[in-house]
Amino acid sequence: SGSGNPPPPPPFPYVFALAVYIDSLVDGLLVGLTLITGKSAGMYMAVAMAVEMGFLGLTFAAACSGQPKRKAVAAVVAGPVCLMLGSGLGGLVANALAVNEPALVGCTAFGVAALLYMVAEELLVSAHEEGEEHVWWIDLQVFVGFLLALVVAKAFG
């Protein structure tokens, strides 16, 4: 106890870090995709992502506390970098799809449905009564519904 050596840092949260980086890339991709559909849509998506990523960033930073400073700072900064890379990639994909409006609508519908699915997934699981199994095809209806809504709105709007 009196050795004077500091305790070793807790194990690094590699799985959590990977989840944060993948989420950041996908969120950035969605922002990039929605920016081409309209400036206001992209701004709403960016604001929503900023709020979500703010909470995720704080949680991840707290999980990295106790790590060596350089490792913790690099890990926490990598999330926003992934967000920017994903946004750039989303913009490139959206520009490539701009000539094919049905493909762009499909990608945008998938992106919006994926975002709402991630947000609503916990609510969908919580909505099932105790002992009731989670049914995958009910969740699939969220994706199909948004795709159909956007396709119909684009076709008749």
Side-chain angles (χ1 to χ4, degrees):
S1 245
S3 65
N5 292 334
F12 186 80
Y14 288 106
V15 174
F16 188 23
L18 182 64
V20 167
Y21 303 150
I22 291 171
D23 180 55
S24 297
L25 278 168
V26 171
D27 287 353
L29 185 73
L30 294 176
V31 169
L33 276 171
T34 55
L35 275 172
I36 199 164
T37 61
K39 189 176 181 180
S40 63
M43 291 305 293
Y44 287 129
M45 184 67 79
V47 169
M49 290 296 164
V51 171
E52 185 249 340
M53 293 304 291
F55 286 111
L56 181 61
L58 287 172
T59 304
F60 184 52
C64 289
S65 66
Q67 298 296 318
K69 189 172 185 171
R70 282 185 181 210
K71 190 175 193 176
V73 169
V76 171
V77 168
V81 170
C82 288
L83 185 70
M84 290 185 294
L85 291 173
S87 187
L89 180 63
L92 291 173
V93 169
N95 280 328
L97 292 176
V99 296
N100 185 351
E101 193 169 325
L104 181 60
V105 170
C107 280
T108 305
F110 176 80
V112 169
L115 177 65
L116 289 172
Y117 175 80
M118 291 186 309
V119 170
E121 175 61 17
E122 282 302 312
L123 296 175
L124 290 171
V125 171
S126 298
H128 296 287
E129 292 182 19
E130 286 295 319
E132 212 175 305
E133 236 180 79
H134 184 78
V135 183
W136 66 269
W137 56 268
I138 292 174
D139 296 343
L140 180 66
Q141 291 176 12
V142 173
F143 288 100
V144 173
F146 280 107
L147 176 62
L148 289 175
L150 286 174
V151 168
V152 167
K154 221 32 169 167
F156 299 110

